[in-house]
Amino acid sequence: MDTEDLEQVRRHLPAHVHLTRHSATLTGSRREVDVLVLWTDHPYERCPRCREPLPRTAPCPLYLHAEAAGVEAAVEAVNREHEACGRWLDVAYAHLDTDRADAADVAELARDLAARWQSQVGHWRRVRRGELRELLQDLDTAPEEGETLQEARDRISAGAQMDPGPYWDADRGCWAAWDYDPGDDEQILIEHAPS
């Protein structure tokens, strides 16, 4: 696949899919090796374990290892362990040898990865909604000593405008909890307690 074809494919990649080209010269044979790597964004905006914010776009998850003399270059995975807590971060990826791939192959693989990303995001949305429902079930709305019901609601809702968590939904007259949508930085998920 030449550079012009690669740029054409890159311009038409599905959302949340990335493409790069890795080239290396084998140390033993001096043969040039060229692969295309496709990968997806993280399917969540915060680490599922420690809840620390993550960049949406993951770094390229593969590299070429061509150091051993006389050995074919190997495509190897980079360490995707989250520095803050050690959780292995989810990224869907694949690679193609540029000698054997054409634009149609790359486009098909990109569509497959986009579908996998959507599936991962769907999983994390269900997990997140379940966590919000559990939070609402565990919510203790009883006022503390010397506190009115409204003061208890205000205390529990403190910070809910900026940080995910429970709040009193005055319009519906019930508790609700919100969190960021794993697949869309502009959207949030909201669950309401049964009234």
Side-chain angles (χ1 to χ4, degrees), residues 8 27 32 37 44 47 61 66 70 93 100 117 123 130 136 140 158 173 175 179-180 182:
Q8 183 71 11
T27 54
E32 292 289 326
V37 179
Y44 33 67
C47 175
Y93 60 89
R100 300 185 188 120
W117 184 84
H123 165 77
L136 290 171
D140 181 12
W175 286 103
D179 203 346
Y180 298 100

Side-chain angles (χ1 to χ4, degrees), residues 114-133:
R116 284 175 53 193
W117 184 84
Q118 287 291 343
S119 177
Q120 288 177 318
V121 168
H123 165 77
W124 287 107
R125 279 185 181 130
R126 289 187 298 278
V127 167
R128 196 73 51 84
R129 286 190 179 282
E131 291 169 348
L132 291 174
R133 287 190 295 273

Side-chain angles (χ1 to χ4, degrees), residues 1-177:
M1 176 181 294
D2 64 28
T3 305
E4 187 176 315
D5 288 342
L6 182 61
E7 287 309 311
Q8 183 71 11
V9 169
R10 187 175 276 128
R11 282 194 293 272
H12 294 95
L13 286 174
H16 306 289
V17 176
H18 309 281
L19 170 67
T20 194
R21 174 182 243 150
H22 287 317
S23 299
T25 302
L26 298 182
T27 54
S29 65
R30 307 303 301 161
R31 186 171 69 84
E32 292 289 326
V33 177
D34 199 35
V35 295
L36 298 176
V37 179
L38 291 96
W39 75 99
T40 64
D41 286 338
H42 292 123
Y44 33 67
E45 82 300 339
R46 293 175 181 267
C47 175
R49 180 180 291 159
C50 70
R51 307 290 289 155
E52 182 177 292
L54 295 171
R56 174 61 68 194
T57 302
C60 181
L62 298 176
Y63 70 98
L64 277 179
H65 178 70
E67 293 175 3
V71 176
E72 290 297 308
V75 178
E76 296 189 12
V78 300
N79 183 353
R80 293 193 320 277
E81 191 174 46
H82 189 211
E83 288 180 22
C85 68
R87 188 189 194 284
W88 198 258
L89 299 174
D90 298 321
V91 175
Y93 60 89
H95 71 280
L96 295 166
D97 186 331
T98 55
D99 291 342
R100 300 185 188 120
D102 62 18
D105 296 330
V106 177
E108 181 179 352
L109 187 54
R111 285 190 300 274
D112 290 346
L113 286 173
R116 284 175 53 193
W117 184 84
Q118 287 291 343
S119 177
Q120 288 177 318
V121 168
H123 165 77
W124 287 107
R125 279 185 181 130
R126 289 187 298 278
V127 167
R128 196 73 51 84
R129 286 190 179 282
E131 291 169 348
L132 291 174
R133 287 190 295 273
E134 286 178 19
L135 178 64
L136 290 171
Q137 287 173 353
D138 296 340
L139 194 59
D140 181 12
T141 59
E144 293 178 352
E145 189 174 332
E147 189 177 51
T148 67
L149 181 58
Q150 186 57 50
E151 288 169 338
R153 289 174 179 166
D154 291 343
R155 174 179 45 83
I156 293 169
S157 298
Q161 297 300 325
M162 299 300 291
D163 298 317
Y167 65 96
W168 179 254
D169 187 332
D171 293 337
R172 288 193 178 195
C174 66
W175 286 103

